[in-house]
Amino acid sequence: MAKTNAGRFFEDYSVGDVLTHAVPRTVGAGERALYHALYPARHALYSSDTFAQACGIAASPLDDMIAFHTVFGKTVPDVSLNAVANLGYAEGRWLKPVWQGDTLTSQSEVIGVKQNSNGKSGVVYVRTTGRNQRDEAVLEYVRWVMVRKGDLDALAPETVVPDLNKVVPAGTLAIPDGLNFENYNFDLAGEPHRWGDYAVGEQIDHVDGVTMEEAEHMMATRLWQNTAKVHFDTSARPDGTRLIYGGHVISMARALSFNGLANAQMVVGLNAGAHANPCLAGDTVRAWSEVLDKAETSAPGVGAIRLRLVATKGGAPFQLRGEDGKYLPEVLLDLDYWALMPM
Amino acid sequence: MAKTNAGRFFEDYSVGDVLTHAVPRTVGAGERALYHALYPARHALYSSDTFAQACGIAASPLDDMIAFHTVFGKTVPDVSLNAVANLGYAEGRWLKPVWQGDTLTSQSEVIGVKQNSNGKSGVVYVRTTGRNQRDEAVLEYVRWVMVRKGDLDALAPETVVPDLNKVVPAGTLAIPDGLNFENYNFDLAGEPHRWGDYAVGEQIDHVDGVTMEEAEHMMATRLWQNTAKVHFDTSARPDGTRLIYGGHVISMARALSFNGLANAQMVVGLNAGAHANPCLAGDTVRAWSEVLDKAETSAPGVGAIRLRLVATKGGAPFQLRGEDGKYLPEVLLDLDYWALMPM
Amino acid sequence: MAKTNAGRFFEDYSVGDVLTHAVPRTVGAGERALYHALYPARHALYSSDTFAQACGIAASPLDDMIAFHTVFGKTVPDVSLNAVANLGYAEGRWLKPVWQGDTLTSQSEVIGVKQNSNGKSGVVYVRTTGRNQRDEAVLEYVRWVMVRKGDLDALAPETVVPDLNKVVPAGTLAIPDGLNFENYNFDLAGEPHRWGDYAVGEQIDHVDGVTMEEAEHMMATRLWQNTAKVHFDTSARPDGTRLIYGGHVISMARALSFNGLANAQMVVGLNAGAHANPCLAGDTVRAWSEVLDKAETSAPGVGAIRLRLVATKGGAPFQLRGEDGKYLPEVLLDLDYWALMPM
């Protein structure tokens, strides 16, 4: 009877624990094509081997979000099966491109625990690292979730809240070996706007919208081997809806941002992120961005741009919070990330 | 006007006939990824090249069910286009792994015919063999279907009912060359339970559920080039529903069984199977298993486990038949198979 | 604010303009599998490496329609974002097979412009060429669309209407190097009918139907990086429906035509095409064909057959136009193409 995985509860996590997440995953041409079928992804470096090669890269890597979702998905059975809420992300860095044929594994270290005052749940902080078959780290990020207690009588652990950077320092961003945007082809990339054309504070409405479908979000979520019941089973939530995996919204918004940010080619840093409201099938997702910062890099012709990416299911662009300081009900996602762009 | 295939009728089959099924199929990275998008498949040997290699296999093979569905799909235009019902399976054995780039063909021999007493239909038994491009058999199984007569005046053939094993003898199961579970990594596989931890008679509720979607079952069924109209065309059935291909339910249930049977890695034998009731979009599929038998094998560290896998669309686990001996209306599938598991 | 692409208007096109369409695309095993998941595609040359090799080809190429959709999709942001209607196709020729790993780019030359008498829109004719990473042309075709004017005061350009062939002359069709149908295996191809078995004027009802799903047509359309809003966003059309990309109907009808035309293996010429009426999710698509012409080719055992392929969403087969000469409301597509078939 105890053969199935009931998931961990708050009292099962201790600072310093290292969780080896199950089921390594080899990704390749199929995941790549499915990504392009599920999202309107058009960033040229991830669409074309020849474009990537002209930028000094051996081939078109798998989308950075394939790396993220694959590494993230493996953590779900160990980290968020009994989670009440996914509270935040920080210190995310993409460290190496993921190539077709790579096998990804995922490991997390518990770096913080804090029981809630209600005694029924607590916040768990983990630093997750994705590695390829050469044991090279390809991605790392911190995530914190609220997890229910299984045994309400379990003693509260000593509170440890990690000291996390609000923003990944631009100087620590990993630039893929060989990346060179000096001969970047703006015609083939789809837009003429370069790093110098974007101003801090500038806002961009990405215009396009996509109406969500159950089959699509479930296929995406399964592809990353994310097992959370609420995404698949109409009986898992009281209202019979299937909650769309927050990462599906991230990928949709990132793909929509092509229209206006076609040259924000590679995602290299994740500073923060909030899934502000639930997304359901039938919602039409739109996106807008705001330029938060810019930085130079050591790679030839390559600049870094820090962007806020907001996904919505209605309402006007550029509206984020109400007078009460809370996210507006139509806001789905507020993501703060670094991308690389030709200078 | 006679250019289209009207399918064979009962009187068109004779014992000894060999049917070469059309459209060989090369399978690869795309079919592999789609399988993981359509089913919550997580068995590590089929998810990861490195895991497979640590088990003595050259790479992660395509899922055993991809082999089954591909070989099966080719038989539909010749065997079941005019079938009233798919009655049973027996003597199924997976003989070789299917690798990316393999081309599968399918051939069936008619091994039995029995006209029904109503004179309007009959049962046809075929033994189907799937082969790769090296002409190696990769899969064989017996299936019997009830087929309508096209000409009611056709004479009843001499009844031949093949003598079929109720269970594939464990000693005849084909173990992939080189398979070795002595250094099996249970952490990466996702569960600690080994062959010795399962007892005959033990029942496992796999807990998770997936609500079915039209787009998903149609994509799966097309991928295996299964052409049966009832799966695709709302005008093909009186009530306007599209019947979900029974193999879609098999794959869904097998994938769900990961939760509790993560180490039942490879499917090597199909003893019996019944599609007990129709499955439609909107149904939420769950699964439970029962350990029917266990056997040792000659491969290092590899045990065989015989499992009943039951898929349902509701009701409590472990309920199979009513007082009348018939399958309960919520039971979709009753499958009896052999899997390989680390000892 | 001007970072997003608003698309070109009628006055932005001049005869002689060359448009380099954005986002080259590497296609491979994933696109191939998705094509087989989205359409009931069974033509053996595109299903099996071994079948293709027996026909003198190095491997199974990607479906001709993958080439078409990929090349076409790239033109949408530059040609049809503000299009009112897609009016026609002509002079289409597939010039080289597309192989797994090929990277496709797309370029169009404006070859005609004609302002409408209402002064609000005009017709733009473009000749589009798709090339692979070796700069070899793989596909070319002419398309004309009606495009809105952005500035109603813009002067009407001099009218240029290109002189287009009604039919691609059979002698100019490109036959893939090495193609040889002398040892063609009709059993594996699925039907016995050869070139000599089809008569000009013959009509074939392809019998099967497929009911359309939102998730499927959107995945297909995204896979070809076609960005037209009306396919994805329920708020883009007044009635809240998502218009199915006409190319999805082409591929569906072509795949359905296997049943009766299994040996019309390769599509090599596009003579004409009309998207007669809109297709929406829930419609059940059927197809019928008419043999329009036949021609010999210089390749061993290879004949050319010119076919009308009609897709419908209801009604009886072989009905195309009403008494008023207009397409019947249930007709979706009227396509005139050349295919290669064993003699």
Side-chain angles (χ1 to χ4, degrees):
Chain A
M1 288 302 155
K3 290 283 195 312
T4 50
N5 174 25
R8 286 163 179 259
F9 293 94
F10 177 68
E11 66 270 22
D12 298 325
Y13 296 92
S14 299
V15 172
D17 283 356
V18 174
L19 312 174
T20 296
H21 305 301
V23 197
R25 174 91 185 128
T26 305
V27 289
E31 283 75 11
R32 186 180 181 281
L34 271 162
Y35 198 85
H36 282 87
L38 291 165
Y39 308 107
R42 295 200 290 145
H43 286 92
L45 198 64
Y46 300 89
S47 177
S48 162
D49 283 343
T50 55
F51 192 94
Q53 288 154 0
C55 295
I57 304 279
S60 180
L62 293 178
D63 197 281
D64 303 309
M65 291 301 157
I66 294 181
F68 179 78
H69 297 316
T70 303
V71 170
F72 181 100
K74 306 202 171 323
T75 70
V76 169
D78 298 318
V79 175
S80 41
L81 214 58
N82 296 308
V84 183
N86 195 32
L87 298 172
Y89 303 99
E91 298 191 356
R93 295 192 306 150
W94 280 259
L95 300 165
K96 292 265 184 192
V98 173
W99 310 105
Q100 292 187 25
D102 276 1
T103 299
L104 300 181
T105 55
S106 187
Q107 209 172 51
S108 297
E109 182 180 353
V110 179
I111 60 170
V113 289
K114 179 174 185 294
Q115 183 166 312
N116 287 330
S117 53
N118 65 12
K120 294 181 178 168
S121 57
V123 178
V124 178
Y125 296 78
V126 295
R127 185 181 302 274
T128 297
T129 305
R131 288 189 175 79
N132 65 21
Q133 71 280 14
R134 291 177 295 276
D135 207 36
E136 298 166 332
V138 298
L139 171 67
E140 61 174 24
Y141 64 91
V142 171
R143 166 162 88 115
W144 54 106
V145 294
M146 192 183 301
V147 183
R148 278 183 285 129
K149 289 182 76 169
D151 172 9
L152 294 183
D153 297 331
L155 289 180
E158 185 183 353
T159 292
V160 177
V161 175
D163 186 25
L164 298 169
N165 282 318
K166 292 280 183 213
V167 178
V168 177
T172 68
L173 297 171
I175 315 287
D177 291 343
L179 189 71
N180 183 332
F181 282 160
E182 290 186 323
N183 298 308
Y184 190 92
N185 188 324
F186 289 87
D187 281 346
L188 290 181
E191 290 184 351
H193 324 301
R194 53 180 73 229
W195 186 83
D197 297 328
Y198 291 88
V200 173
E202 181 174 352
Q203 292 180 317
I204 302 154
D205 176 7
H206 300 302
V207 180
D208 304 312
V210 174
T211 306
M212 301 288 99
E213 288 293 319
E214 302 282 13
E216 292 183 355
H217 79 78
M218 292 202 299
M219 289 181 69
T221 308
R222 274 189 216 106
L223 192 56
W224 322 126
Q225 299 179 310
N226 179 329
T227 58
K229 289 180 177 61
V230 290
H231 306 317
F232 300 108
D233 179 350
T234 53
S235 69
R237 283 159 51 90
D239 65 357
T241 60
R242 280 166 274 181
L243 188 66
I244 293 179
Y245 162 48
H248 189 61
V249 177
I250 293 177
S251 280
M252 192 60 79
R254 161 70 179 159
L256 288 170
S257 78
F258 177 92
N259 199 350
L261 284 166
N263 297 318
Q265 285 287 353
M266 309 192 88
V267 175
V268 289
L270 176 60
N271 301 309
H275 299 290
N277 284 291
C279 182
L280 302 177
D283 289 344
T284 297
V285 173
R286 293 170 199 288
W288 57 269
S289 292
E290 180 178 354
V291 180
L292 297 178
D293 200 0
K294 295 168 65 178
E296 301 190 2
T297 81
S298 59
V302 178
I305 186 166
R306 185 181 154 210
L307 296 157
R308 158 173 282 156
L309 173 62
V310 176
T312 67
K313 55 179 174 181
F318 315 134
Q319 306 301 310
L320 190 62
R321 295 178 185 272
E323 292 186 2
D324 57 4
K326 292 186 181 164
Y327 285 114
L328 293 169
E330 66 267 23
V331 171
L332 299 171
L333 172 75
D334 180 14
L335 197 78
D336 178 342
Y337 72 104
W338 282 106
L340 300 181
M341 191 177 259
M343 296 190 83
Chain B
M1 287 303 155
K3 292 283 196 311
T4 50
N5 174 27
R8 288 163 177 260
F9 294 94
F10 177 68
E11 66 271 20
D12 299 324
Y13 297 92
S14 300
V15 171
D17 283 355
V18 174
L19 312 174
T20 296
H21 306 302
V23 197
R25 174 94 186 127
T26 305
V27 289
E31 283 75 11
R32 184 179 183 282
L34 271 161
Y35 198 85
H36 282 88
L38 292 164
Y39 308 107
R42 294 201 290 145
H43 287 92
L45 198 63
Y46 300 89
S47 177
S48 162
D49 282 344
T50 54
F51 192 94
Q53 287 155 0
C55 295
I57 303 280
S60 180
L62 293 178
D63 197 281
D64 304 309
M65 290 302 157
I66 294 180
F68 179 78
H69 297 316
T70 303
V71 170
F72 181 100
K74 305 203 171 323
T75 71
V76 168
D78 298 318
V79 175
S80 41
L81 214 58
N82 297 308
V84 183
N86 195 32
L87 299 172
Y89 304 98
E91 299 192 355
R93 294 192 307 150
W94 281 258
L95 300 166
K96 292 266 183 191
V98 173
W99 310 106
Q100 292 188 23
D102 276 1
T103 299
L104 301 182
T105 55
S106 187
Q107 209 171 51
S108 297
E109 183 181 352
V110 179
I111 60 169
V113 288
K114 180 173 185 295
Q115 183 166 311
N116 289 329
S117 53
N118 65 12
K120 295 181 179 168
S121 58
V123 178
V124 178
Y125 296 78
V126 296
R127 185 181 301 274
T128 297
T129 305
R131 288 188 175 80
N132 64 23
Q133 71 279 14
R134 289 177 296 276
D135 207 35
E136 298 166 333
V138 298
L139 171 66
E140 61 174 23
Y141 64 90
V142 171
R143 165 161 89 116
W144 54 106
V145 294
M146 191 182 302
V147 182
R148 278 183 284 130
K149 290 182 73 168
D151 172 8
L152 295 184
D153 296 331
L155 289 179
E158 185 185 353
T159 292
V160 178
V161 173
D163 186 24
L164 298 168
N165 282 319
K166 293 280 184 215
V167 178
V168 177
T172 69
L173 297 171
I175 315 287
D177 291 343
L179 190 71
N180 182 331
F181 282 160
E182 289 186 322
N183 297 309
Y184 189 92
N185 187 324
F186 289 86
D187 281 347
L188 290 181
E191 290 184 350
H193 324 300
R194 53 179 74 229
W195 186 83
D197 296 329
Y198 291 88
V200 173
E202 180 174 351
Q203 292 180 318
I204 301 154
D205 176 6
H206 300 300
V207 179
D208 303 313
V210 175
T211 305
M212 301 288 100
E213 288 293 318
E214 303 282 13
E216 291 182 356
H217 79 79
M218 292 202 298
M219 288 181 70
T221 308
R222 275 189 216 107
L223 192 57
W224 323 126
Q225 299 179 310
N226 179 329
T227 58
K229 288 180 179 60
V230 290
H231 307 316
F232 301 109
D233 180 349
T234 53
S235 68
R237 284 160 51 92
D239 66 356
T241 60
R242 281 166 275 182
L243 188 66
I244 292 179
Y245 162 49
H248 189 62
V249 177
I250 294 177
S251 280
M252 192 60 79
R254 160 71 177 157
L256 288 171
S257 78
F258 177 93
N259 199 350
L261 284 167
N263 297 318
Q265 285 287 353
M266 308 192 90
V267 174
V268 289
L270 177 60
N271 301 309
H275 299 289
N277 284 291
C279 182
L280 301 177
D283 289 343
T284 297
V285 174
R286 293 172 197 287
W288 57 270
S289 293
E290 180 178 354
V291 180
L292 297 178
D293 200 1
K294 295 169 65 179
E296 300 190 3
T297 82
S298 59
V302 178
I305 186 166
R306 185 181 154 212
L307 295 158
R308 158 172 281 156
L309 173 62
V310 176
T312 67
K313 55 178 175 180
F318 315 134
Q319 307 301 312
L320 190 63
R321 294 177 186 274
E323 292 185 2
D324 57 3
K326 292 185 180 164
Y327 284 114
L328 294 169
E330 67 267 23
V331 171
L332 299 171
L333 172 76
D334 179 14
L335 197 79
D336 178 343
Y337 72 104
W338 282 107
L340 300 181
M341 191 178 258
M343 296 190 83
Chain C
M1 287 302 155
K3 290 284 197 311
T4 51
N5 174 26
R8 286 163 179 259
F9 293 94
F10 177 69
E11 66 271 21
D12 299 325
Y13 297 92
S14 300
V15 171
D17 283 354
V18 174
L19 312 174
T20 296
H21 305 302
V23 197
R25 174 91 185 130
T26 305
V27 290
E31 284 74 11
R32 185 180 182 282
L34 271 161
Y35 198 84
H36 283 87
L38 292 165
Y39 308 107
R42 294 201 290 145
H43 287 92
L45 198 64
Y46 300 89
S47 178
S48 162
D49 283 342
T50 55
F51 191 94
Q53 287 154 1
C55 296
I57 304 279
S60 180
L62 293 178
D63 197 280
D64 303 310
M65 290 302 157
I66 294 180
F68 179 77
H69 297 315
T70 303
V71 170
F72 180 100
K74 305 201 172 324
T75 71
V76 169
D78 298 318
V79 174
S80 43
L81 214 59
N82 297 307
V84 183
N86 195 32
L87 298 172
Y89 304 98
E91 299 192 354
R93 295 191 306 149
W94 280 258
L95 300 166
K96 292 266 183 191
V98 173
W99 310 106
Q100 293 187 23
D102 277 0
T103 299
L104 301 181
T105 55
S106 186
Q107 209 171 52
S108 297
E109 183 181 350
V110 179
I111 61 170
V113 289
K114 180 174 185 294
Q115 183 166 312
N116 287 330
S117 54
N118 65 11
K120 295 181 179 167
S121 57
V123 178
V124 178
Y125 296 79
V126 295
R127 186 181 302 274
T128 297
T129 306
R131 288 190 175 80
N132 64 21
Q133 71 280 13
R134 290 176 296 277
D135 207 36
E136 298 166 333
V138 299
L139 171 67
E140 60 175 24
Y141 65 91
V142 171
R143 166 162 88 115
W144 54 106
V145 294
M146 191 183 301
V147 183
R148 279 183 283 130
K149 289 182 74 170
D151 171 9
L152 294 183
D153 297 331
L155 289 179
E158 186 184 352
T159 293
V160 177
V161 174
D163 186 25
L164 298 169
N165 282 318
K166 292 279 183 214
V167 178
V168 177
T172 68
L173 297 171
I175 316 287
D177 291 343
L179 190 72
N180 183 332
F181 282 160
E182 290 186 323
N183 297 310
Y184 190 91
N185 186 324
F186 289 87
D187 282 347
L188 290 181
E191 290 183 350
H193 323 300
R194 54 179 75 230
W195 186 84
D197 297 329
Y198 291 88
V200 173
E202 180 174 352
Q203 291 180 317
I204 302 152
D205 177 6
H206 300 301
V207 181
D208 304 312
V210 174
T211 305
M212 301 288 98
E213 288 294 319
E214 303 282 13
E216 292 182 356
H217 78 78
M218 292 202 299
M219 287 181 71
T221 308
R222 274 189 217 106
L223 191 57
W224 322 126
Q225 299 178 311
N226 179 329
T227 58
K229 290 180 177 61
V230 290
H231 307 317
F232 301 108
D233 180 350
T234 52
S235 69
R237 282 161 52 91
D239 65 358
T241 60
R242 279 166 276 181
L243 188 66
I244 292 179
Y245 162 50
H248 189 61
V249 177
I250 294 177
S251 280
M252 193 59 80
R254 160 71 178 157
L256 288 170
S257 79
F258 177 92
N259 198 350
L261 283 167
N263 297 319
Q265 285 287 354
M266 308 192 90
V267 175
V268 289
L270 177 60
N271 301 309
H275 300 290
N277 284 292
C279 183
L280 302 177
D283 289 344
T284 297
V285 174
R286 293 172 198 287
W288 56 269
S289 293
E290 180 178 354
V291 180
L292 297 178
D293 200 0
K294 294 169 65 178
E296 301 190 3
T297 82
S298 59
V302 179
I305 185 166
R306 185 182 153 210
L307 296 157
R308 159 172 281 155
L309 173 62
V310 176
T312 68
K313 56 179 175 181
F318 315 135
Q319 306 302 311
L320 190 63
R321 294 177 186 274
E323 292 185 2
D324 57 3
K326 292 186 182 164
Y327 285 114
L328 293 169
E330 66 267 23
V331 171
L332 299 171
L333 172 76
D334 180 13
L335 197 79
D336 178 342
Y337 72 104
W338 282 107
L340 300 181
M341 190 177 258
M343 295 189 85

